[in-house]
Amino acid sequence: MDGNPVKIAFVGKGGSGKTTLSSLLISHLAATGRPLLAVDADINQHLAVALGASDTEAASWPTLGDRLPLIKEYLRGDNPRIASAADMMKTTPPGAGSRLLGVASDNPVWAECVREVRGVRLAVTGPFADTDLGVACYHSKVGAVELMLNHLVDGPGEYVVVDMTAGADAFASGLFTRFDVTFLVCEPTVRSVGVYRQYRDHARDFGVQIAVIGNKVEDLDDLEFLRGEVGDALFGWVGRSAHVRAAERGEVRPIDRLEPENRDTLARMTELADGTPKDWVRFQRQAAEFHRRNALAWGNERAGADLTDQIDPDFVHGPLSLVD
């Protein structure tokens, strides 16, 4: 399979259309037969339906948040630096003895948490439930995604596409650094551009590659507004779409019925992803950095132990470290 291994995030202001754009790119990749794992990490949990599942089907699926104990126990493996699965944090990086996840591998985590919708393998974080009100935040659920991504090895030509939480919520941990390409969906509005600038500024010092995709672009004025506000970061745009409008009414059409100009944007996004080199050294270094921050900020006190000891300085992440 051609192309680099790629982890892709979709971010943006709430209501900007990032779930719609996520589902379009996922469908485009799936139609080409590329190995693919989609993840819904947005509090609204609409990706399954956007891909063609019914509300009933989507509501019945197991969630990463609910299966966190299983995920921790499996990923811990025989890592001697982790005393128990309960001591694992959302930021815990892999080390010698950890179990890693391959995109297309068979493992208990995928068997329990991944379901298929119209040929797309999808894992969902889970919604914010009534029992969470007043006692938990959504970051406790998204933590399952971060832990999974820390231990996930995508091989050449494999894709992981994550529909992220809205706005700058990803910056509550190191989750925003887990991706090779971040597509920021931006409407031609002042508020949406403001979210872009906030995301850009937070990510600036971490080597995060941000490509802005304009959405709901109706005319030349919209396009010129985006060009004037985000400059060279504007990578492409999606205009008015009967295909998208049909999906919003519950009719999910084959991706080859998407307007040619909009599908061209998806093709260019795929080319950008394919051409982005994987930096496993930085990936592991940043995992260790954010784990250390979280351990010192709150984890050590909660565990009654120094969780920075979970960092294995000699561990080398990447395909050679993948254990089937």
Side-chain angles (χ1 to χ4, degrees):
M1 181 68 67
D2 295 333
N4 291 305
V6 188
K7 293 183 178 74
I8 297 170
F10 277 85
V11 301
K13 184 182 74 66
S16 63
K18 63 183 182 58
T19 298
T20 297
L21 267 293
S22 300
S23 67
L24 290 177
L25 183 64
I26 289 166
S27 297
H28 173 77
L29 293 172
T32 66
R34 299 164 192 253
L36 170 68
L37 176 68
V39 181
D40 191 346
D42 187 4
I43 191 171
N44 292 314
Q45 296 286 280
H46 290 155
L47 184 57
V49 173
L51 290 169
S54 69
D55 289 328
T56 301
E57 288 174 324
S60 69
W61 285 356
T63 69
L64 296 169
D66 288 342
R67 302 306 193 275
L68 186 55
L70 176 149
I71 294 170
K72 287 182 174 182
E73 191 62 53
Y74 179 76
L75 297 180
R76 175 192 173 210
D78 297 319
N79 187 334
R81 293 177 173 273
I82 303 175
S84 70
D87 285 338
M88 293 182 75
M89 301 167 61
K90 61 185 178 180
T91 54
T92 296
S98 296
R99 292 192 181 100
L100 302 182
L101 301 166
V103 171
S105 66
D106 294 324
N107 60 71
V109 175
W110 294 165
E112 183 68 21
C113 300
V114 173
R115 296 296 181 266
E116 188 170 300
V117 51
R118 298 201 176 196
V120 173
R121 296 166 60 245
L122 173 66
V124 300
T125 303
F128 198 71
D130 290 343
T131 54
D132 297 320
L133 295 176
V135 297
C137 70
Y138 195 63
H139 299 136
S140 63
K141 296 180 182 293
V142 177
V145 177
E146 182 168 3
L147 188 63
M148 182 185 77
L149 291 177
N150 276 348
H151 290 75
L152 195 152
V153 179
D154 41 325
E158 293 182 334
Y159 294 81
V160 181
V161 182
V162 182
D163 182 16
M164 292 278 284
T165 54
D169 283 354
F171 294 97
S173 66
L175 184 57
F176 71 99
T177 67
R178 302 297 81 194
F179 305 100
D180 305 295
V181 178
T182 295
F183 289 117
L184 191 146
V185 181
C186 190
E187 301 169 270
T189 66
V190 171
R191 290 183 60 192
S192 197
V193 168
V195 170
Y196 155 70
R197 289 176 177 154
Q198 183 182 33
Y199 208 100
R200 175 201 63 191
D201 292 347
H202 285 330
R204 177 176 286 130
D205 295 331
F206 297 93
V208 175
Q209 180 177 201
I210 299 175
V212 175
I213 306 298
N215 192 31
K216 306 177 187 177
V217 176
E218 297 286 342
D219 52 31
L220 186 59
D221 286 344
D222 285 345
L223 189 55
E224 289 304 313
F225 174 82
L226 286 173
R227 283 173 171 159
E229 294 294 329
V230 309
D232 293 341
L234 182 63
F235 182 78
W237 57 90
V238 171
R240 179 177 298 176
S241 172
H243 181 96
V244 170
R245 290 294 293 163
E248 291 171 344
R249 295 192 296 266
E251 180 190 349
V252 179
R253 299 172 176 176
I255 192 65
D256 60 9
R257 294 179 62 184
L258 181 67
E259 298 80 10
E261 63 274 17
N262 290 332
R263 197 162 188 192
D264 285 346
T265 296
L266 300 180
R268 291 187 60 239
M269 293 165 69
T270 304
E271 290 174 3
L272 175 64
D274 286 341
T276 299
K278 176 71 75 176
D279 189 343
W280 285 114
V281 172
R282 185 177 70 187
F283 186 84
Q284 183 68 5
R285 184 183 69 247
Q286 290 179 333
E289 175 185 346
F290 279 96
H291 179 68
R292 184 176 290 105
R293 291 187 185 189
N294 278 264
L296 295 176
W298 60 272
N300 290 350
E301 182 177 359
R302 186 198 67 177
D306 185 0
L307 297 184
T308 64
D309 289 341
Q310 293 179 351
I311 299 171
D312 183 346
D314 299 319
F315 181 76
V316 180
H317 213 313
L320 295 180
S321 62
L322 180 62
V323 178
D324 293 329

